Amino acid sequence: MDRIANFIDALEEQVMASLLGIMTLITFANVVSRYVFNSNILWALEVTVFLFAWMVILGSSYALKKSAHLGVDVIINLVSETKRRIIGLIAGLAVFSFSFLMFKGAWDFWANFGELPATTGRWFPTGFEDKFRGKGWYETTSTPIPEFLRFLEDWFNEGEQYEKMPRLVPYLVLPIGMGLLLLRSIQALWRLWTGKVDRIIASHEAEEAIEKIATGE
């Protein structure tokens, strides 16, 4: 389990770093294209927005894993250790409930675009396919579709060619990101239950870092 957790952590770090690097390169290329060649990369802004959304959504689950989310700890620092643990468990349950609702909402939203047509298969019980049928053809505004994703035309668009990237691709980060957030909330709740931590926020990390800088440590 530790190896799997470490692998997921490393994968998230690499993906987020890659997303930031790609965003930087695309933005730089678009600036050079505009001011040097008097041209414009039409899809640059939309792709940058998608990449930023991916980085933020994936980063939210990673921050929960690392207890990097900011919070107010005035009350929990005033109470006893037992009460602090109870407050922490209540907070953990609230985070879990929020994460579960976000995951369900994210999946329901993405399913409108990612549901397989009735001719190729079903992801839902009988009777639900009519609600989601045929919405895989929704495309982005200006992002071209890479050739290696052409297989999606047979899977989601009944063989018809996409002119732009189908929305189901960039929107896929919603169920993935919220699923990871749900997983991280379960891990945080388990750490609270087993007594490994008494809170799921960053607490005084920033203050401690400033003190170390001031003292030259």
Side-chain angles (χ1 to χ4, degrees):
M1 292 300 295
D2 290 338
R3 289 182 179 180
I4 295 175
N6 292 334
F7 172 77
I8 295 176
D9 288 350
L11 181 61
E12 284 181 310
E13 292 172 358
Q14 292 298 324
V15 169
M16 288 186 290
S18 299
L19 291 174
L20 182 59
I22 295 172
M23 285 173 54
T24 303
L25 290 175
I26 292 176
T27 302
F28 176 75
N30 198 30
V31 171
V32 172
S33 179
R34 283 185 177 183
Y35 293 98
V36 177
F37 300 102
N38 196 27
S39 182
N40 184 31
I41 303 177
L42 297 178
W43 48 265
L45 178 59
E46 186 176 50
V47 171
T48 301
V49 171
F50 286 144
L51 292 176
F52 183 74
W54 273 70
M55 187 172 63
V56 171
I57 293 174
L58 294 176
S60 64
S61 65
Y62 183 78
L64 181 59
K65 165 67 175 179
K66 299 300 182 180
S67 299
H69 285 290
L70 298 179
V72 180
D73 58 2
V74 176
I75 296 177
I76 57 178
N77 286 334
L78 295 176
V79 300
S80 64
E81 185 176 342
T82 301
K83 292 180 179 179
R84 188 181 306 163
R85 183 170 182 270
I86 294 174
I87 295 175
L89 288 171
I90 294 173
L93 287 171
V95 171
F96 169 77
S97 300
F98 171 81
S99 302
F100 176 79
L101 292 175
M102 289 295 293
F103 174 69
K104 183 182 184 304
W107 174 261
D108 290 343
F109 179 82
W110 182 81
N112 285 279
F113 305 96
E115 168 64 4
L116 294 173
T119 56
T120 58
R122 294 191 180 119
W123 290 4
F124 292 88
T126 303
F128 281 78
E129 67 272 12
D130 292 334
K131 180 179 179 181
F132 299 104
R133 182 184 300 168
K135 294 187 179 180
W137 59 267
Y138 278 80
E139 299 176 333
T140 56
T141 302
S142 56
T143 304
I145 178 172
E147 290 301 319
F148 71 87
L149 290 180
R150 288 293 179 185
F151 70 91
L152 296 176
E153 296 169 347
D154 294 328
W155 285 20
F156 298 97
N157 203 32
E158 299 183 349
E160 296 185 17
Q161 187 174 8
Y162 284 119
E163 295 181 3
K164 303 294 181 182
M165 176 84 76
R167 294 187 187 183
L168 64 95
V169 175
Y171 290 177
L172 182 60
V173 72
L174 293 172
I176 291 178
M178 293 303 102
L180 285 172
L181 185 65
L182 180 61
L183 172 63
R184 300 307 192 188
S185 69
I186 295 173
Q187 291 175 332
L189 188 58
W190 177 251
R191 292 198 302 271
L192 288 165
W193 178 258
T194 55
K196 294 181 179 179
V197 296
D198 61 0
R199 67 196 71 191
I200 56 176
I201 58 177
S203 187
H204 296 291
E205 261 187 12
E207 295 179 9
E208 293 172 358
I210 294 174
E211 289 178 2
K212 289 183 179 180
I213 295 174
T215 57
E217 295 182 7

